[in-house]
Amino acid sequence: MPTTDGDQGTVWLSQEAYDRLQAELDEHIANRPALAAEINARREEGDLRENGGYHAAREEQGKAEGRILYLKEFLRKAVVGEAPTSNKVAPGTVVTIQFDDDEDDTETFLLGSREIAATTDLTVYSPESALGKAILGAGKGDQVKYTAPSGAEIKVKVIAFEPFAG
């Protein structure tokens, strides 16, 4: 089974999520000629300094190229298959935490890429988020603290975790 322990650059994805992202990448690549044709058509409309259609087409092309580069790199790093198993919280695990020693204040979520969020009803936290960084590598029963975006310091306890089953 793939594991991501120790390699922060690797991303775990289910086959469904990988296929969805690959299809999006293929669609962006297939749209390149249409975007280029749109830019050429707008260029022929006249003065480029005052041609809003031309600038909009160029901006759209830039966004598409940025997404293509992101998806290529993201998919290159992806590990596809079963969620990793570990005795510590790792990307690809469903985690239940308890806030501030309050047994009634718990949350269960998937620690993984936000790209997988479309394939699950679980809330997804990135390993790069404040909470994700704090619990990454923690074991059952471990208490950790993290600073929320608001500046508040939050204490959580890892109650349970298991590999994501899809």
Side-chain angles (χ1 to χ4, degrees), residues 23-136:
E24 181 186 344
L25 175 61
D26 294 344
E27 184 178 325
H28 280 298
I29 291 171
N31 282 339
R32 279 176 163 166
L35 280 172
E38 177 73 15
I39 290 170
N40 285 335
R42 299 294 180 194
R43 181 181 291 128
E44 292 178 8
E45 291 176 354
D47 188 357
L48 295 181
R49 290 176 293 181
E50 297 178 14
N51 188 332
Y54 170 78
H55 293 290
R58 291 281 299 170
E59 185 175 325
E60 186 65 30
Q61 180 189 40
K63 288 178 184 178
E65 289 301 318
R67 185 67 176 162
I68 288 170
L69 290 174
Y70 171 79
L71 287 171
K72 280 183 175 180
E73 182 64 13
F74 188 84
L75 292 172
R76 183 186 68 78
K77 291 191 237 178
V79 175
V80 179
E82 296 295 317
T85 58
S86 173
N87 59 353
K88 303 230 179 262
V89 174
T93 54
V94 176
V95 183
T96 301
I97 58 171
Q98 172 184 309
F99 291 94
D100 294 318
D101 297 323
D102 181 352
E103 292 180 14
D104 296 327
D105 191 5
T106 63
E107 182 177 4
T108 300
F109 57 89
L110 172 62
L111 185 65
S113 166
R114 297 212 185 264
E115 297 291 348
I116 202 169
T119 66
T120 180
D121 290 333
L122 288 168
T123 300
V124 179
Y125 286 102
S126 167
E128 289 82 33
S129 69
L131 174 58
K133 286 179 183 176
I135 64 168
L136 199 59

Side-chain angles (χ1 to χ4, degrees), residues 1-12 77 79 84-85 90-92 136:
M1 278 189 220
T3 157
T4 56
D5 291 26
D7 185 358
Q8 296 299 324
T10 302
V11 182
W12 173 85
K77 291 191 237 178
V79 175
T85 58
L136 199 59

Side-chain angles (χ1 to χ4, degrees), residues 135-148:
I135 64 168
L136 199 59
K140 183 176 178 178
D142 287 353
Q143 285 196 336
V144 297
K145 292 180 183 178
Y146 71 96
T147 303

